Amino acid sequence: MTLPDASSNPAGADRTFQVDLRGLVDLLSHHLYSSPRVYLRELLQNAVDALTARHTLEPAAPEGAFGIRLYADGSVVRVEDDGVGLTEADVHTFLATIGRSSKRAEQVAEQRGDFIGQFGIGLLSCFLVADEIHVVSRSARTPDAPAVEWRGRGDGSYTLRTLRASARPRPGTTVTLTPRADAGEWTRPTQVRALARHFGSLLRHPVTFSDGTGGTGTAVNPEPAPWARTHPTPGARSRALAAYGEEVFGFTPLDTIELDLPAVGLKGIACVLPQAVPAGRRHGHRVHVKGMLLSEQAEEILPEWAFFVRCVVDAESLRPTASRESLYEDDTLAAVRDALAERLRAWIARAAASDPDLLARFLHAHHLAVKSLAVHDDEILRMLLPWLPFETTDGHTTLDAFARTHRTVLVTANVEEFQQVAAIASAAGLGVVNGGYTYDRELVHRLPEIRPETSVADLDPATLTAHLDPVDRETELAAAAYLARAREALAVFDCDVALRTFQPASAPALLVDSREARHERTRSQLAREQEGGLWGDILGALRQEAPRAQLILNQLNPLVRTAVAIDEPELARTSAEALYGQAALLSRRPLRPAESSLINRSFLDLLAHALRKDH
């Protein structure tokens, strides 16, 4: 941007900014538009807006009387429309003044919402592929006005002249570009036709394309959107919508949900993905505004929990941003998002009420999405919580089936805790649900809202150990010496040792050690090591009675019965360390370095003992 010489203006006089057009085009190409291909969308959009103004001027004109014609042969790209056109004054006002849009003219201001573009910078996008823009136009508002020719160049200069009536016998505008050599990727005939189809397949005005090889051209948008067509039966309509979704997104939808919001002139479909997607991955949705494709990645049109669908919609009242590649976040968009979310909830409700097979297939693929919705939506919670699958001590099953077997449902705080106790709890007849996955613990605790006869509680280690049977007094006394040596060997891990009987008998030991207990022991150890310093004082203030881990040996296991009878002190110690290591491995939690070292050492010691015994 440059400023006029100060000597040419008296002090205090208003001055006018001078725009470096090349710099502005570079700014648009790198920061506003995602790709040079948008030049064709902007040309189509200007043509559509001109046709809209022409229909406003001539409301009695029959449908299809005015259209858009594209031409590309490799040397030029041309877009011709039968729109309202421009006079010489209009050209000076609108084409030669950056940022001013003809859609803001007073005579059409009241119809401003009928136009797609409202920023007046779209024509500049043509400089992304060409150094000169050639415009020939004739006004429909002033029929006796001559046709005008405008040539704008990338250096910021332009020329304007009037033409004979024969140069443009009918009202409308023709824009011609001579592409630069480096723009061939975007201006080849096949690419221009593909871009026209991509951006304009749902436009309401007829659009044709020709490459100069003969014929009158092919239709870019030969038929309206599938939701705007008449179908012989509801089944035929459903199949047509599903086929369109497959064509657009490349997958066969599990189902299609028709979207219709008359208040904002929105119509379209939501395609239910047939396979699960990672939690939180938000798919982009195809959003058209008045038929013109605005974005293929409009995440903001649906709430975050709706990642099980992809949508294609066409709306009248949504506002595009300046780049016209995303939606402007305002109250209208928020209301549309809420209304579409309600349509998705209604679809889930209908499936639950009338199509159990569809519901089962949907939940099999997208139970995580439904769980995230149920956390915040009481209606979905009541409707679907009994049918959602959870990992339990009875295997993967629904809460409804699980609650029929277990009147008291216990839920773990994390996956690690569930893995530690699942086999033992199942053998003891306890009903435990893995609460370590996203949303699961919170949802299980809400089960009594639907099944008041069922109680839910967090699993506590004491609850589990209370269901393990004690051994008789004689067995306890016989094992006392071994248990004392085991406690001494495992004291470094703050681990107590007890002898019980429990199923399955194949499990020699159970390590009960919660994540919270390990954290508290680590904090206590740090406090002891830092005693006397500032950090030690802080940790000491937080210190609680550090809970101990517990290694519970299973008297029903033959290996344990042999171990507790060992008289040799070193062998007893080694066997206790080995049992601890095996139980730690079965818990599937990350091992501390000291535990890994213990497992290696106990294995080698037992191996050495066995070899000495053989010799």
Side-chain angles (χ1 to χ4, degrees), residues 401-417:
F402 193 69
R404 284 199 297 267
T405 306
H406 305 280
R407 298 293 296 272
T408 298
V409 175
L410 302 174
V411 58
T412 63
N414 49 64
V415 175
E416 174 191 307
E417 187 176 275

Side-chain angles (χ1 to χ4, degrees), residues 558-586:
L559 179 63
V560 171
R561 290 201 298 272
T562 301
V564 297
I566 295 174
D567 293 327
E568 185 180 338
E570 283 303 316
L571 181 58
R573 180 186 182 92
T574 300
S575 67
E577 291 174 340
L579 288 169
Y580 175 90
Q582 191 260 358
L585 287 172
L586 289 178

Side-chain angles (χ1 to χ4, degrees), residues 76 89 97-98 104 163-164 178 185 239 259 268 304 350 373 404 441 464-465 497 579 598 610:
V76 298
T97 304
I98 295 172
R104 293 177 180 158
L163 304 175
R164 293 189 302 271
T178 301
E185 177 184 357
R239 288 189 294 273
L259 307 174
E304 291 186 8
R350 286 196 302 273
L373 176 56
R404 284 199 297 267
R441 184 164 175 263
L464 180 63
T465 54
V497 184
L579 288 169
L598 174 140

Side-chain angles (χ1 to χ4, degrees), residues 95 123 133-137 148-151 173-176:
L95 292 189
L123 197 63
I133 305 171
H134 180 214
V135 178
V136 175
S137 187
V148 292
E149 179 190 59
W150 179 85
R151 290 182 182 272
T173 301
T174 302
V175 180
T176 304

